[in-house]
Amino acid sequence: SIEIITNLSSKYDASGNSGIINIKLKKNKSFGTNGTLSLTAGDAFIPDASISDLYRGSVNLTLNHRNEKVNVYGTGNLSRNAFYNDNTLMRSTNFEGLRSEFDQIGQRGGNGIYSSARIGADFFASKKTTFGVMLDVNNWNGQMISTGLTNIMEQKDGVSTASSLIPSSAREMDNWNYTGNLNMKHNFNDKGKEVSIDIDYSGFRNYAYQDFDTRFFDAQNVPTSSLIQRNTTPSNIDIFAAKVDFTIPTDDKFKIEFGAKSSYVKTDNDFIFEVNNDNTWSIDEGKTNHSIYTEFVNAAYFNVGKQWSKIGFQGGLRAEYTQSEGNSLTADIVVPNDYLSVFPTAFLTQKINEDNSMKYSYSRRIGRPNYQQLNPFLFFLDPFTFQKGNEFLRPQFTDNAELSYTYKNSVSLTLGYAYTKDNMFEVIEQDDASRVTFQTQTNLEKVKNYSANLSFPVPVTKWWMMQNNFNVYYTRYQDNNLSGGMLDIGQTAFNFYTSSTFTMKKGWSAEANMWFNSPQVLGIIRQTKPQYAVNAGIQKSILEKKGRLKLNVSDIFLTSFFSGDIDYQNVDLAVNSRWTSRRASLSFTYNFGNQNVKGSRRRSTATEDLKRRAGGNNN
């Protein structure tokens, strides 16, 4: 069975606001070997792209062997990924009588090889005790080519001049991740009383090298100068974590859960930027930055649950004590942070009758910056436009309250309210004197969100089932001092999702779905056009239902691109973004061996949430 948990109890890490999927496997005593082989090939289709090589392909093999004493499992993946995206920007600056208008386009494309391998084993020391070990290794090795064109029109004292520049760069990347896990689970009885222990290490070794060649031209397109630059960006992340969880159920449908977790993270980012003058390389002090971030979190939680005939209650409390330090070695700035956070959760379910039920929930969550947001790395569109990290970004805290009504376990209506303090927020800032614009992350004082969500199925026929979801929400962004100004803006927006599955004869089935997002306000960014996409797929069961052929096409009409503008303080720009959203892929999957053999345990390791912050999967 598949259990979707949208409101997480105190047992789970307080970071993030998304739910989890809990897959419960049937118990059986079948022994033997099974496996799955998957092959996929695909291509992307986007008009006027600067590259034509957008092919993707992958091969994946999963094996599982179980006997009375051990379950050994492993999976391997080798895939090729190709990508493309472009941005067009129109922006203007005014400084001391000089008005400058920039018409920019930036195009980026590349490809790489992703490889991964995971092996593990569960040892059944007894009917009640299991020991496990797991090793996971993955690597992303790729390259990216960037090019573009920036036309600049300047006007001062009634005189207009024109110029342009062509930026180009080549970037090579080699990212490694290693994860090791030791675990133990002991069942005290067959009623669910158990303890589990996980000890993890995860390491990331990321390296990138990029060179830049920018050519400047006058109004007659005659070359005037050039700028040659390069950078290296080694980034090392080490994560250590351990956790222990206890579950104690009782005969009267009362359950107690408690546990603890400790984690330590160290990131070391050394961004070295150099410029070439007369064939001599020298450090660009204004762009070079070496920073170290450390984070030590100790957490403990207590959770209780009780089920009566028509009422169910679950409540808990999680406390996390965090010690962190951002250290910019280049700027000689150290920012320590030391705080205790408490995260209560409460969920009450009420069964009114056989067809109607209610759920009331409250939770407090934390959103910590991912490690790339804390990386001071600069990503350039051209010398006037770039993106950078913020090594002093703080975590955000969110209080969520929901009221849900469900009819016949299928139709549901949910009303929600969320208040976020220190919301991690994307901002565009501009230096009028240099005419440089950069994008970064900062903390917004507060964000309020009110939402209503309706989900309902429609059984059109015996062979056609629809699932629909409609969401309307109002979001308000507020800050008394954002980039030197006061921000207070909100807008009502909506989105919907509809999916249809078609079950046909002779092993054929198909699916079509569509999502739609209305224009909305994203802080200082105003989305000016709706985004939507239509996706479809068809599959055929073959080889006596052991194999499956599947064809998928995403964003068929190429309508999911983003358009927006910013008119805040001294920033005045419009942006359009495209990427390889329309893809077609053909996959073949074959299951072999004894399919009654129970698979390996599905569970979260101690570093699961921390790896997500590090970007553990680069595919």
Side-chain angles (χ1 to χ4, degrees):
S1 64
I2 298 178
E3 178 185 17
I4 300 177
I5 305 174
T6 56
N7 293 293
L8 303 183
S9 72
S10 299
K11 176 179 179 179
Y12 298 96
D13 287 295
S15 59
N17 288 312
S18 59
I20 65 169
I21 298 177
N22 182 31
I23 300 177
K24 300 179 179 180
L25 301 177
K26 292 182 178 180
K27 295 181 178 180
N28 63 70
K29 297 182 179 180
S30 297
F31 300 136
T33 303
N34 62 16
T36 301
L37 174 66
S38 299
L39 303 172
T40 302
D43 198 4
F45 309 91
I46 182 169
D48 304 320
S50 61
I51 61 173
S52 58
D53 176 11
L54 295 172
Y55 303 110
R56 280 185 174 183
S58 67
V59 55
N60 182 278
L61 176 64
T62 300
L63 295 172
N64 183 67
H65 174 78
R66 177 182 287 262
N67 60 35
E68 192 172 352
K69 291 294 183 182
V70 66
N71 180 198
V72 181
Y73 58 91
T75 182
N77 174 271
L78 182 65
S79 59
R80 182 193 193 263
N81 180 21
F83 56 90
Y84 172 84
N85 63 81
D86 60 39
N87 295 287
T88 58
L89 290 90
M90 296 288 294
R91 67 182 184 93
S92 61
T93 65
N94 287 280
F95 183 73
E96 295 183 351
L98 174 64
R99 177 176 176 82
S100 303
E101 295 185 352
F102 294 79
D103 182 355
Q104 304 169 258
I105 181 170
Q107 300 173 311
R108 294 167 298 281
N111 59 74
I113 300 298
Y114 175 79
S115 57
S116 66
R118 171 180 290 191
I119 57 173
D122 292 326
F123 303 95
F124 310 118
S126 68
K127 292 183 179 180
K128 295 183 177 181
T129 305
T130 301
F131 293 94
V133 60
M134 187 270 293
L135 176 64
D136 189 356
V137 180
N138 61 69
N139 170 250
W140 160 255
N141 188 284
Q143 51 277 324
M144 180 178 70
I145 301 296
S146 302
T147 187
L149 172 63
T150 300
N151 291 310
I152 306 172
M153 182 66 69
E154 298 172 313
Q155 187 173 26
K156 187 173 185 178
D157 299 330
V159 179
S160 298
T161 58
S163 62
S164 63
L165 61 93
I166 297 178
S168 62
S169 68
R171 178 177 171 87
E172 298 178 357
M173 300 158 283
D174 190 24
N175 300 336
W176 287 90
N177 169 228
Y178 315 89
T179 298
N181 167 261
L182 297 173
N183 61 85
M184 185 275 288
K185 181 179 181 181
H186 177 72
N187 297 312
F188 295 95
N189 54 40
D190 58 0
K191 296 180 181 180
K193 182 180 180 181
E194 65 181 37
V195 59
S196 63
I197 300 173
D198 281 271
I199 302 174
D200 285 26
Y201 166 75
S202 187
F204 294 80
R205 300 294 179 263
N206 301 333
Y207 178 82
Y209 171 82
Q210 189 168 10
D211 56 49
F212 304 87
D213 185 354
T214 305
R215 307 288 175 171
F216 297 84
F217 303 86
D218 62 16
Q220 286 73 42
N221 207 31
V222 176
T224 57
S225 61
S226 64
L227 179 62
I228 309 298
Q229 301 163 299
R230 69 184 183 189
N231 68 47
T232 56
T233 55
S235 176
N236 297 322
I237 304 174
D238 292 290
I239 303 172
F240 302 87
K243 68 174 183 174
V244 57
D245 299 293
F246 291 89
T247 301
I248 304 176
T250 64
D251 293 332
D252 56 352
K253 295 185 179 180
F254 183 77
K255 184 170 71 172
I256 300 173
E257 296 176 312
F258 60 95
K261 178 180 177 180
S262 290
S263 64
Y264 174 79
V265 179
K266 179 181 179 181
T267 70
D268 189 335
N269 301 303
D270 192 6
F271 181 70
I272 303 171
F273 203 97
E274 298 175 285
V275 61
N276 190 304
N277 292 309
D278 298 326
N279 295 322
T280 301
W281 290 101
S282 59
I283 298 292
D284 188 331
E285 301 291 348
K287 298 183 176 66
T288 295
N289 197 337
H290 185 189
S291 68
I292 295 176
Y293 173 80
T294 57
E295 179 182 276
F296 188 29
V297 180
N298 290 300
Y301 73 90
F302 181 81
N303 202 57
V304 296
K306 170 68 175 178
Q307 184 65 48
W308 292 273
S309 59
K310 291 188 177 182
I311 299 292
F313 172 78
Q314 181 175 272
L317 190 66
R318 186 180 184 93
E320 295 187 354
Y321 177 59
T322 303
Q323 293 175 292
S324 65
E325 181 180 275
N327 183 1
S328 175
L329 303 180
T330 302
D332 194 22
I333 299 175
V334 178
V335 179
N337 209 354
D338 186 337
Y339 56 93
L340 174 66
S341 304
V342 178
F343 303 96
T345 58
F347 312 104
L348 181 68
T349 57
Q350 177 188 10
K351 185 177 180 181
I352 301 173
N353 52 43
E354 289 300 320
D355 293 335
N356 302 277
S357 63
M358 300 290 295
K359 183 177 181 179
Y360 316 86
S361 65
Y362 166 78
S363 64
R364 187 170 189 257
R365 311 287 294 169
I366 185 173
R368 292 187 174 90
N370 68 52
Y371 305 123
Q372 289 306 311
Q373 290 173 318
L374 297 169
N375 189 340
F377 166 70
L378 305 177
F379 185 85
F380 285 86
L381 180 62
D382 65 24
F384 294 99
T385 313
F386 61 90
Q387 179 180 349
K388 70 174 185 176
N390 179 4
E391 61 265 47
F392 306 120
L393 190 64
R394 302 187 306 274
Q396 66 182 31
F397 294 87
T398 302
D399 290 275
N400 295 290
E402 287 187 354
L403 170 64
S404 299
Y405 164 74
T406 303
Y407 176 70
K408 288 188 175 182
N409 292 321
S410 58
V411 178
S412 66
L413 174 64
T414 301
L415 304 178
Y417 170 74
Y419 175 87
T420 301
K421 179 184 177 183
D422 288 335
N423 181 75
M424 291 183 294
F425 173 77
E426 191 171 277
V427 66
I428 306 292
E429 296 191 357
Q430 182 172 280
D431 185 322
D432 288 338
S434 64
R435 302 181 297 180
V436 168
T437 296
F438 65 89
Q439 172 184 316
T440 189
Q441 291 272 337
T442 189
N443 291 102
L444 197 67
E445 187 176 328
K446 56 186 175 182
V447 175
K448 299 176 183 178
N449 181 271
Y450 306 84
S451 63
N453 182 275
L454 176 64
S455 177
F456 59 96
V458 178
V460 183
T461 67
K462 291 182 178 180
W463 50 269
W464 180 4
M465 171 62 75
M466 292 183 66
Q467 181 64 45
N468 306 280
N469 185 279
F470 182 81
N471 185 48
V472 59
Y473 55 94
Y474 174 80
T475 306
R476 192 163 198 87
Y477 302 84
Q478 294 174 299
D479 196 298
N480 288 322
N481 185 17
L482 178 67
S483 302
M486 177 180 290
L487 178 69
D488 188 357
I489 189 171
Q491 180 176 324
T492 300
F494 69 92
N495 59 58
F496 70 82
Y497 173 84
T498 180
S499 174
S500 293
T501 56
F502 308 91
T503 304
M504 297 171 281
K505 297 180 179 179
K506 297 182 180 181
W508 286 93
S509 62
E511 180 180 356
N513 62 69
M514 176 186 178
W515 59 265
F516 179 95
N517 293 337
S518 72
Q520 59 182 318
V521 169
L522 302 168
I524 65 171
I525 303 174
R526 183 174 66 93
Q527 185 178 342
T528 54
K529 293 181 180 179
Q531 292 175 278
Y532 60 95
V534 176
N535 315 296
I538 187 170
Q539 69 177 19
K540 174 72 167 67
S541 177
I542 59 176
L543 302 176
E544 298 179 347
K545 297 184 179 181
K546 292 184 178 181
R548 184 182 67 206
L549 279 174
K550 188 172 185 179
L551 175 65
N552 277 327
V553 182
S554 62
D555 196 6
I556 297 173
F557 302 107
L558 214 62
T559 50
S560 65
F561 299 147
F562 177 84
S563 296
D565 60 34
I566 299 175
D567 184 9
Y568 179 77
Q569 292 295 91
N570 61 337
V571 179
D572 179 13
L573 67 82
V575 59
N576 293 279
S577 299
R578 305 191 309 162
W579 54 90
T580 46
S581 59
R582 182 165 63 186
R583 287 189 175 274
S585 64
L586 178 66
S587 63
F588 167 73
T589 303
Y590 180 69
N591 299 311
F592 56 89
N594 183 359
Q595 297 303 303
N596 293 319
V597 177
K598 183 180 178 181
S600 59
R601 289 184 293 154
R602 296 178 181 267
R603 53 189 184 77
S604 296
T605 64
T607 58
E608 205 78 23
D609 63 315
L610 300 168
K611 287 177 63 177
R612 285 193 291 268
R613 290 174 62 196
N617 189 339
N618 299 288
N619 190 18

